Every structure is written in structure tokens, then in C-alpha cells.
């Protein structure tokens, strides 16, 4: 058990967690397989600095309290109270702006030649180049929560939906103008 270096909460950034408790890297990766790319130093310096444990939980399709409390237990901290799953923050009802005919590009996780490149790095330039009636589609095996939050902060409309049991489809469009 590690001495308490920092409190582990849903808002803890993944990089800060691993800086304080490096022994949690393998634990986190086992609990959230989409974050196995944390072993790549470049991605660890970028995505891990902005991704919170709440986002990691969404990506892993785990209730945030399960992820946080598992990590807290591993470092000797008492469990937090239950918050429930936060999928509803990312998997929402069909928005009025979505039309399958407007999809102008599609990116699928793992299609890039660089296996260490995060899919969001491919998606961002496509989103920035979208016309007013275009949508870009992202197909992943997990909810790309950090990427969704980045796109929303940039003003994009974002909608994710469960495709097959192993597939999440995320759609990105320019914000609607009044």
C-alpha cells in the first residue's frame, strides 16, 4: 500500500494519478483496456494529461465509482459513495441535427498506420474541415470520452450511439446556427 500522495477522485487526471502512483498503470490498463496506449510516452504526455478518471470510466464502460474505488483500494484509500454510470453523459437520444446522408467521412479505430496514434488525432482535422451540412463519423470499441469533451469544448455538436455490442459510433457536426 502506498502512502497517500493525492486523493483519487473521478476528476483526477490519468497522468496525475500515474505520476503519484506509477504502480497503478497496469491496474488502470486492465480495468480500462482503451487506455493501454498509456504505455506510449507521447500519448501519456498528451491524452493522459487531459483525460479524467470519469472519462476513463466512460471509455471503459465502467461505472465511475467502480473504477475510482478500485484504484482507491489499491492505494489504501477508503471508497467514495456511488455516483452511478455516466454513459448517459455520452450516449444520448438521437439529435435533430443528425442525418446519415450528411456523413462525409468516417474514421475507424485502428485504421491508422500508426497503432500508437489516438483516433481523435485523425478525427480533429476532419471535424475542423467540416462544411455546415456535413458530419464525420468515428467508430470505436469504447466511448471516446476525452475526445468528445474536447470536441464539445471547441463548439462541435457530438452524438454517440451504441452500434453493435462491440461498437460505439460517434458523430460530429459543426454547431447549428440560428
Amino acid at each position: 500500500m502506498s502512502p497517500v500522495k493525492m486523493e483519487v477522485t473521478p476528476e483526477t487526471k490519468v497522468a496525475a494519478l500515474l505520476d503519484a502512483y506509477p504502480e497503478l498503470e497496469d491496474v488502470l490498463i486492465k480495468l480500462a483496456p482503451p487506455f493501454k496506449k498509456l504505455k506510449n510516452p507521447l500519448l501519456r504526455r498528451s491524452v493522459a494529461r487531459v483525460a479524467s478518471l470519469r472519462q476513463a470510466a466512460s471509455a471503459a464502460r465502467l461505472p465511475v465509482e467502480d473504477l475510482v474505488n478500485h484504484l482507491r483500494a489499491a492505494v489504501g484509500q477508503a471508497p467514495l459513495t456511488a455516483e452511478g454510470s455516466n454513459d448517459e453523459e455520452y450516449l444520448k437520444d438521437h439529435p435533430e441535427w443528425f442525418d446519415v446522408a450528411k456523413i462525409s467521412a468516417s474514421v475507424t479505430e485502428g485504421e491508422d498506420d500508426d497503432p500508437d496514434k489516438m483516433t481523435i488525432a485523425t478525427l480533429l482535422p476532419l471535424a475542423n474541415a467540416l462544411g455546415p451540412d456535413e458530419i464525420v463519423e468515428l467508430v470505436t470499441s469504447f466511448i471516446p470520452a476525452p475526445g468528445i469533451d474536447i470536441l464539445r469544448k471547441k463548439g462541435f455538436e457530438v452524438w454517440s450511439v451504441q452500434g453493435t455490442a462491440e461498437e460505439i459510433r460517434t458523430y460530429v457536426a459543426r454547431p447549428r446556427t440560428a
Side-chain angles (χ1 to χ4, degrees), residues 87-98 152 157-162 169 171 176:
D87 279 0
E88 63 277 358
E89 187 177 333
Y90 298 102
L91 299 176
K92 298 183 176 192
D93 292 333
H94 186 283
E96 64 181 57
W97 56 263
F98 179 76
R152 286 179 178 162
E157 300 281 355
V158 183
W159 175 52
S160 293
V161 63
Q162 182 79 47
R169 293 184 175 269
Y171 301 97
R176 290 168 281 147

Side-chain angles (χ1 to χ4, degrees), residues 98-107 130 133-138 169-172:
F98 179 76
D99 179 350
V100 70
K102 293 181 179 181
I103 298 173
S104 61
S106 184
V107 176
L130 283 172
D133 287 322
E134 294 180 319
I135 294 172
V136 66
E137 172 187 58
L138 173 64
R169 293 184 175 269
T170 300
Y171 301 97
V172 180

Side-chain angles (χ1 to χ4, degrees), residues 1 5 10 30 43 59-60 68 73 76 82 96 104 106 112-113 120 123 125 129 133 136 145-146 153 159 167 176 178:
M1 176 167 40
K5 299 172 189 171
K30 283 180 188 172
L43 297 176
V68 170
E96 64 181 57
S104 61
S106 184
D112 196 282
D113 291 335
I120 191 69
L123 180 67
D133 287 322
V136 66
K153 285 179 186 172
W159 175 52
E167 173 185 275
R176 290 168 281 147

